[in-house]
Each structure stands twice: as C-alpha cells, then as structure tokens.
Amino acid sequence: MPESVLTILKFCFLALLYLFLYRVVRVVMAEMRAPAPAPPQPAPPVAKNVERAPRSRGSAHLRILEPAARRGETYTVQDELTVGRGGGCGVVLDDTFVSQVHARVFRRDGDLFVEDLGSRNGTLVNGRPVGNAQRVRRGDKVQFGRTVAEVTR
C-alpha cells in the first residue's frame, strides 16, 4: 500500500479516536450536571362558593419491591425526594440502569408526583413511561432502572 494512503488512514483513525473521546467526555459531563428545576405549574382554577375538603398531608412512602436484596426498605416523602446513583440523592440506588440523579418524587397541593429528570432509561409508573410530572397514588408501582418501588401512605 502506498505510504500516502497509510498516512491518510492514520489521520482518519486519530480523528475517529478524538471524536469518540469527545462524546465520552460529553456524556460524563451531562451525567454530572445538576438537573434543571421543574417549572412551576399554575394551580387549577377553583370555582367560587364551593368548599373543598382539605387534603391530608399524611406522610407518603416509597417501599422498595425489587431487587430482592433491598425489598422492604422504606423512604418517607416529605416535600421532595430525589432518586438516583448520586450520593446526594434521598434514595441512593446501586443500579447501573439508574442515572446519577434519575427522578424526583414530590408533593404539590397534597398530591404526590413523580418526575423523570432526563434519565437515559426513563422512569415508569405502572409500566408506562413518565413524561412530565405524573400524579401517583397509593399502590402505584414506580420503576427506576431495574429498581421497582411501591407508593404507600
């Protein structure tokens, strides 16, 4: 093979190598970045002259169902609870399918919501992917990667 062709192939290989390294660094930086705060959602309009029963602020919990090694672990959701592999999360999961900061579980107007924070593998509620913040009720199954938790009160 002519030496000029080998030189061109060498430079192409180096370009691909640098492209690969660039993409790896970009993914690592994206995982390390803090999640963007959720935009506040406007409260639904309330009809006048209608009394609403106050919603209970009883404590909600996430109880781990899977994996079996962590079954039964329970986490209380006060106002907000983050889930992920990162050490700063309220629920730290040792699951390779979970992002550093994977999702958050939070209260709004007495209801409990789950929101995916841009994770690679997504968050599921009762087997359905979560887009924006989704309301969850007692008995709902929430899946973060391979970890499944149940909402209890």
Side-chain angles (χ1 to χ4, degrees):
M1 222 184 255
E3 190 173 322
S4 60
V5 173
L6 290 175
T7 303
I8 292 172
L9 287 175
K10 186 184 338 177
F11 284 122
C12 288
F13 175 73
L14 284 174
L16 287 174
L17 181 64
Y18 282 120
L19 179 65
F20 172 75
L21 289 175
Y22 169 76
R23 293 194 41 101
V24 167
V25 168
R26 204 171 97 197
V27 167
V28 168
M29 294 303 290
E31 283 289 326
M32 291 174 55
R33 201 174 316 131
Q41 305 235 348
V46 178
K48 293 183 179 182
N49 300 330
V50 175
E51 289 189 34
R52 295 177 64 174
R55 297 209 172 161
S56 67
R57 282 238 354 140
S59 61
H61 304 280
L62 281 181
R63 187 178 68 218
I64 304 292
L65 301 177
E66 293 178 21
R70 296 189 66 173
R71 180 175 291 134
E73 288 182 25
T74 303
Y75 299 90
T76 303
V77 180
Q78 297 296 333
D79 291 323
E80 180 175 301
L81 184 68
T82 54
V83 179
R85 287 182 311 172
C89 293
V91 180
V92 178
L93 301 174
D94 186 25
D95 184 341
T96 57
F97 290 93
V98 173
S99 299
Q100 291 293 322
V101 182
H102 191 91
R104 74 180 183 131
V105 181
F106 62 97
R107 288 182 171 280
R108 182 179 295 145
D109 299 327
D111 291 328
L112 195 64
F113 291 85
V114 172
E115 178 182 28
D116 186 75
L117 298 176
S119 65
R120 288 235 184 251
N121 296 313
T123 302
L124 306 175
V125 173
N126 296 325
R128 294 191 175 143
V130 173
N132 295 327
Q134 179 176 337
R135 183 173 175 226
V136 290
R137 296 183 178 102
R138 182 178 58 201
D140 284 347
K141 307 281 189 291
V142 184
Q143 183 172 347
F144 315 99
R146 290 185 177 165
T147 304
V148 178
E150 179 182 27
V151 178
T152 62
R153 297 247 178 204

